[in-house]
Amino acid sequence: MARVFMKGTEAVAEAAVRAGCRFFAGYPITPQNEVPEYLSRRLPEVGGVFVQGESEVASINMVYGAASAGTRSMTSSSSPGIALKSEGISYCAAARVPMVYANFARGGPGVGSIQPAQQDYLQATKASGNGGFRMPVLAPATVQEAVDLTVKAFDWADRDRTPVLLLADGVIGTMMEPVVLPEPKSDEEVAAIKESKKSWACIGHELDYAHRAWIQPGNWSTLVMQQCNEEAAAMYESWKDEAMVEEYRTEDAEIILTAYGICGRIAKSAVNLLRAEGIKAGMVRPITVYPFPEAAYDRLDYTKVKAILDVEMSIPALFVEDVKAAVKGRCPIETCLCSGGNIMSREAVIEAAKKLVEG
Amino acid sequence: MNKIYTRTKTIQADKVSGFCPGCMHSTVIKLIGEVLEELNVVDKAACVLGIGCCGLHMDYIAYDNTTAPHGRACAVATGMKRTNPDSLVFTYQGDGDFASIGLAESMSAANRGENITVIFINNGIYGMTGGQMAPTTLVGMKATTAPKGRDPKEHGYPMHMCEILNQLTAPYYLERTSCNTPANVNKTKAAIKKAFQNQLDGKGFSMVEIVTGCPTNWGLDALRSLDFIEEKMLPEYPLGVIRDRSKEEA
């Protein structure tokens, strides 16, 4: 397919349509307004439905309804808006309703700032709603990866009947880059996906007590509720093998930069410049931040690695908690941080890395 | 002898109602089931339950159902109906769900004229949580969170959802009924049937508000709660058709 030049938000929206998404509900919030704007004109072209919800809360629940009825569905927002959706996300997880949502994260806490940030890490990976559920969290570092992960998100959501989060940030959303878009699913393929969910979708069934659709985000029976949670826990465990990671020039590295999303891209560039100066730097970039690719940190040669530099656009450091759990004390971990909507500077990363090397 | 009355097949034969004595949820659920059968649309039914006592029958109804987060039933129904226009999508909500925490979703779905049906149960109190004040609680009526009774100076006045929605242009059909007498039960059934038929005909948003009792939390027995409906609730919530666009079309 030919390459096209697209903004991150619009590329994600177009990728969703091509992946078979036929319902989107959302509410305006910067910096992701192009997603609903784009889909308001694009979805009707393919027989899909766009609704501007009266709130973030209503929007996620419209998605809950459409996805419960078997349609590939999506919503998107940015940090404070994602917080408002958290109840609905929890309901989707509990009721095993497959859906995709994107967070083009901005500064926080509170209304924060409208510029890019990675302050939502704990919310995204540990507690996107009440009740202790998990879901795949995919963190793109380029617009191309955002497109590819959007498609993957829909497939993963349907395969396991789970919500999937595309954890992007204001840089990925507002940046324009050349991308190769996926082949669009045909009307027949989209219809077949919906048809495959008919047995459980809440759309009406022949009168048969055993086979009504019963999509419930909880259960009156504590025993059944525990059983649901045990099944979910087994599913989370099975995801461990599906963790995705980019490991870059790690084989002989003495210093490892680790970062996700846009910071991973900045760190990768810093690795190349450090190498040009003769410093043996490498990078570990989790692409799935849940499941977390712990194995990549096991693969490091700790006889060579002197230190790990955690690079993130969050103060306090949040991603570093998962890094620490994966590294298990095998080498020192330092941080290079910015916050408030400021974008990580490559020079700051290089300087911090050099300091570590010098000891 | 001919059998002239049987239980609706939409309530599972081996299940028992979990509602309190004198509660009218079971009456309304029976009516919904009978209407679904009479309209021959059981296989199209997709019910969105609210949170509260209005969700207690999820286990024993035989048609498709889901439970929305508290107050969000009209948003869930919007997504469901928009992507599956052939389904008969209806919400079943109490007054806390529809008129308090869900006010934005309720008003907005009505304002968009979503082609869904709302069955709204108004008993003037929070049932499942134990008798707290609702937006529909009568002035002077005691609640566990208004121990001296609802005081307009502090709590404002009861909300009349049919009349509030009647300020919007889009809704097609708004009727308030009750189930306190056999005649009113029949009227409620006719209203539900009409509201479902409107959706099947693509007419848009229909709501039936049903004034019911909550003997347990009103602190009255079943019979005296019928008197309370007649003497106190219905003067505040007068029954009748508040909006019927089909009359304007005729």
Side-chain angles (χ1 to χ4, degrees):
Chain A
M1 298 258 327
R3 290 208 300 176
V4 289
F5 195 54
M6 283 187 95
K7 197 170 186 175
T9 41
E10 297 189 342
V12 165
E14 178 60 28
V17 171
R18 288 172 181 237
C21 175
R22 289 296 179 269
F23 183 84
F24 180 95
Y27 183 84
I29 183 171
T30 306
Q32 62 80 60
N33 293 311
E34 300 86 348
V35 179
E37 286 169 356
Y38 185 90
L39 290 172
S40 70
R41 55 181 190 270
R42 185 71 174 96
L43 273 173
E45 290 175 5
V46 292
V49 177
F50 167 86
V51 182
Q52 179 170 331
E54 59 272 24
S55 67
E56 300 287 6
V57 177
S59 300
I60 184 67
N61 283 293
M62 290 173 187
V63 166
Y64 176 53
S68 293
T71 299
R72 280 198 163 178
S73 304
M74 182 181 185
T75 184
S76 75
S77 189
S78 183
S79 308
I82 295 290
L84 284 168
K85 292 184 194 292
S86 60
E87 181 195 41
I89 295 163
S90 176
Y91 271 62
C92 289
R96 301 295 295 272
V97 171
M99 63 90 177
V100 173
Y101 72 105
N103 180 3
F104 294 91
R106 61 189 241 182
V111 73
S113 50
I114 60 169
Q115 291 85 1
Q118 297 184 313
Q119 299 274 154
D120 295 347
Y121 186 79
L122 295 184
Q123 181 205 44
T125 59
K126 314 290 183 206
S128 296
N130 64 297
F133 63 93
R134 299 290 204 172
M135 65 188 160
V137 182
L138 316 178
T142 66
V143 175
Q144 181 66 59
E145 199 171 45
V147 164
D148 299 342
L149 291 177
T150 299
V151 177
K152 185 178 181 65
F154 279 101
D155 290 341
W156 199 333
D158 275 356
R159 189 196 68 187
D160 290 338
R161 290 184 59 182
T162 176
V164 178
L165 165 59
L166 184 77
L167 178 61
D169 57 65
V171 180
I172 299 293
T174 54
M175 178 169 56
M176 288 187 84
E177 283 196 286
V179 286
V180 177
L181 293 163
E183 282 287 344
K185 287 204 187 302
S186 65
D187 291 347
E188 292 73 25
E189 286 171 306
V190 173
I193 290 170
K194 190 165 181 176
E195 184 71 21
S196 73
K197 304 179 189 177
K198 221 171 175 176
S199 64
W200 58 260
C202 192
I203 50 175
H205 284 85
E206 291 289 330
L207 190 64
D208 177 354
Y209 298 163
H211 296 109
R212 62 178 181 161
W214 202 68
I215 297 175
Q216 294 301 345
N219 204 288
W220 297 120
S221 157
T222 55
L223 292 176
V224 174
M225 194 67 230
Q226 176 165 326
Q227 196 186 335
C228 290
N229 285 343
E230 284 167 353
E231 284 167 15
M235 176 174 71
Y236 307 152
E237 195 63 26
S238 77
W239 290 344
K240 281 193 172 164
D241 299 335
E242 299 187 62
M244 296 164 68
V245 64
E246 181 185 7
E247 295 158 281
Y248 184 66
R249 302 179 89 166
T250 55
E251 297 83 6
D252 61 341
E254 293 174 357
I255 177 143
I256 293 291
L257 310 186
T258 191
Y260 73 96
I262 191 62
C263 274
R265 184 165 177 174
I266 295 162
K268 189 174 183 178
S269 171
V271 165
N272 288 335
L273 290 171
L274 287 162
R275 286 268 175 180
E277 292 187 42
I279 296 169
K280 287 182 180 172
M283 181 197 71
V284 175
R285 175 176 73 88
I287 298 169
T288 55
V289 283
Y290 192 87
F292 196 78
E294 292 183 18
Y297 297 87
D298 289 337
R299 285 192 286 271
L300 295 175
D301 182 351
Y302 289 97
T303 62
K304 291 181 184 146
V305 175
K306 290 176 185 158
I308 290 178
L309 183 65
D310 165 84
V311 182
E312 51 179 312
M313 283 157 41
S314 174
I315 297 175
L318 306 171
F319 168 69
V320 74
E321 293 183 11
D322 280 340
V323 175
K324 280 180 185 165
V327 171
K328 301 185 189 79
R330 284 172 285 189
C331 76
I333 299 168
E334 296 296 332
T335 57
C336 176
L337 310 174
C338 68
S339 179
N342 296 302
I343 296 170
M344 181 60 66
S345 120
R346 187 174 59 186
E347 288 64 37
V349 177
I350 291 170
E351 194 183 324
K354 282 181 178 172
K355 262 190 199 160
L356 271 185
V357 174
E358 288 154 12
Chain B
M1 257 196 350
N2 290 335
K3 200 171 185 180
I4 57 163
Y5 181 81
T6 54
R7 182 158 124 162
T8 167
K9 293 190 189 75
T10 62
I11 295 175
Q12 300 185 32
D14 58 338
K15 296 283 172 69
V16 177
S17 160
F19 293 111
C20 304
C23 173
M24 291 164 187
H25 275 300
S26 22
T27 312
V28 178
I29 292 156
K30 178 195 75 170
L31 297 178
I32 290 171
E34 288 176 356
V35 169
L36 290 174
E37 286 191 79
E38 287 167 21
L39 293 173
N40 198 23
V41 289
V42 177
D43 62 347
K44 289 173 184 279
C47 173
V48 184
L49 299 164
I51 295 281
C53 288
C54 58
L56 275 171
H57 59 298
M58 63 163 80
D59 273 333
Y60 66 85
I61 49 176
Y63 42 87
D64 286 8
N65 67 89
T66 185
T67 299
H70 198 15
R72 318 302 170 211
C74 284
V76 173
T78 295
M80 226 172 236
K81 182 69 182 182
R82 292 275 194 117
T83 52
N84 290 278
D86 292 339
S87 298
L88 180 85
V89 180
F90 63 100
T91 71
Y92 186 86
Q93 303 174 259
D95 37 19
D97 199 85
F98 185 79
S100 183
I101 194 169
L103 204 48
E105 285 77 7
S106 306
M107 295 280 289
S108 300
N111 191 44
R112 289 191 303 267
E114 294 293 340
N115 190 28
I116 59 173
T117 306
V118 173
I119 308 297
F120 165 43
I121 307 297
N122 174 6
N123 60 10
I125 203 139
Y126 281 77
M128 181 178 274
T129 46
Q132 296 81 8
M133 187 177 62
T136 44
T137 297
L138 303 180
V139 169
M141 190 172 164
K142 286 182 180 171
T144 55
T145 48
K148 294 177 183 168
R150 183 175 195 151
D151 177 0
K153 282 184 195 149
E154 191 183 345
H155 308 122
Y157 293 86
M159 290 179 77
H160 304 86
M161 290 311 294
C162 273
E163 287 76 1
I164 289 171
L165 296 190
N166 196 29
Q167 299 303 307
L168 304 171
T169 306
Y172 188 79
Y173 173 63
L174 305 165
E175 178 165 358
R176 185 183 290 118
T177 67
S178 184
C179 283
N180 64 325
T181 64
N184 279 339
V185 169
N186 286 340
K187 282 183 188 168
T188 297
K189 182 173 174 180
I192 293 171
K193 198 167 195 173
K194 184 159 190 171
F196 282 174
Q197 189 62 52
N198 286 339
Q199 184 181 154
L200 295 171
D201 296 341
K203 297 295 188 185
F205 188 91
S206 295
M207 178 176 82
V208 183
E209 174 179 344
I210 306 165
V211 179
T212 67
C214 181
T216 300
N217 288 300
W218 286 359
L220 300 171
D221 62 31
L223 279 177
R224 275 189 290 175
S225 80
L226 292 179
D227 296 336
F228 188 86
I229 291 176
E230 191 68 42
E231 291 161 17
K232 305 286 184 184
M233 292 287 280
L234 297 188
E236 182 71 33
Y237 298 109
L239 305 182
V241 175
I242 282 77
R243 159 94 57 99
D244 187 354
R245 288 265 190 250
S246 69
K247 295 273 159 46
E248 297 163 33
E249 285 167 5

